[in-house]
């Protein structure tokens, strides 16, 4: 059976590339998905790539993914207030990599302090922030490495 890795994206990331390019870059989510698919093909795993604006849908997708080969998640705005998403991530039995395109810690110095404090991080195996959309690819490389180990 093919090993499946889930890449899950939270609210508003469907509009990636359309605003604040100085923070998030110009790539769209479709561009990110295409790059992730290349890695999945090369590494021989099946990729599920999804985006939702709804908390309950994200919870359902994490539950679906909990026994898969890995979860890469950019919870976006849900990072700061969603206990249901946190609880679902805690139930994952696979590596979980939290990805933020921007450096949320740096932004916490200049914007609001809450931005640097993702509620999700205690449930993550690791966190990548500030490396742009390359963070998704690096997270998948990590999962692929874990699958080979
Ligand atoms: O840097 C990230 O990836 C974030 O998770 C993105 C969230 C933000 O609230 C976090 O602090 C950091 C916001 C996602 C908004 O989606 C966008 C839509 C269009 C253009 C840019 C971002």
């Amino acid at each position: 059976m093919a090993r499946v890795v889930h890449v899950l994206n939270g609210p508003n990331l469907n509009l990636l590339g359309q605003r604040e390019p100085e923070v998030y870059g110009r790539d769209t989510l479709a561009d990110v998905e295409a790059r992730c698919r290349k890695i999945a093909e090369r590494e021989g795993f099946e990729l599920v790539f999804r985006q939702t604006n709804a908390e309950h849908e994200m919870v359902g997708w994490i539950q679906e993914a909990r026994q898969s080969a890995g979860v890469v998640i950019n919870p976006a705005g849900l990072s700061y207030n969603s206990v249901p998403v946190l609880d679902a991530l805690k139930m994952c039995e696979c590596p979980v990599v939290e990805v933020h395109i921007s450096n949320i810690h740096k932004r916490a110095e200049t914007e609001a302090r809450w931005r640097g404090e993702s509620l999700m991080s205690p449930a993550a195996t690791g966190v990548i922030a500030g490396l742009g959309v390359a963070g998704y690819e690096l997270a998948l490389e990590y999962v692929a490495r874990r699958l080979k180990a």
Side-chain angles (χ1 to χ4, degrees), residues 11-13 15-20 24 74-77 79-80 99-102 104 107 115:
N12 298 308
L13 286 165
L15 298 179
L16 190 66
Q18 295 182 33
R19 65 173 173 86
E20 297 182 79
Y24 297 104
N74 183 345
S79 307
Y80 307 106
V99 172
H100 296 282
I101 299 164
S102 62
I104 57 175
R107 293 175 70 185
R115 201 176 282 283

Side-chain angles (χ1 to χ4, degrees), residues 9-15 51-58 61 78:
N9 293 281
N12 298 308
L13 286 165
N14 52 312
L15 298 179
Q51 186 276 332
T52 183
N53 293 327
E55 180 185 52
H56 70 93
E57 195 161 43
M58 181 63 91
W61 289 348
L78 296 172

